[in-house]
Amino acid sequence: MKTTWLASLLLVTIFWGAVLGLVVTYLGGAMVEALTATPIVREPLKAMAVGIILAVMSGLLVTTHH
């Protein structure tokens, strides 16, 4: 039972990490373009990868300290 819960938690964490990475990339890029008037090349795959890594690391940090 615990492994199924852990697997589903990991999948949810990966999904929301990817979504958050994309949102931050596009909103941050739009804000920088508006403030500096310079076009920015957005890289969605790198943004999703960073978001997933950060989400998994923070999830591990929370679970090990509880």
Side-chain angles (χ1 to χ4, degrees):
M1 179 70 183
K2 186 172 176 129
T3 55
T4 352
W5 178 81
L6 193 60
S8 65
L9 182 66
L10 184 63
L11 286 175
V12 168
T13 302
I14 288 172
F15 172 76
W16 284 113
V19 169
L20 189 62
L22 283 175
V23 167
V24 167
T25 297
Y26 281 100
L27 288 181
M31 188 174 63
V32 169
E33 284 178 349
L35 292 175
T36 62
T38 55
I40 289 181
V41 177
R42 292 179 180 88
E43 299 179 7
L45 290 179
K46 284 185 184 176
M48 288 192 319
V50 169
I52 289 169
I53 290 169
L54 289 176
V56 169
M57 286 175 56
S58 64
L60 288 174
L61 187 68
V62 166
T63 55
T64 54
H65 285 294
H66 273 249

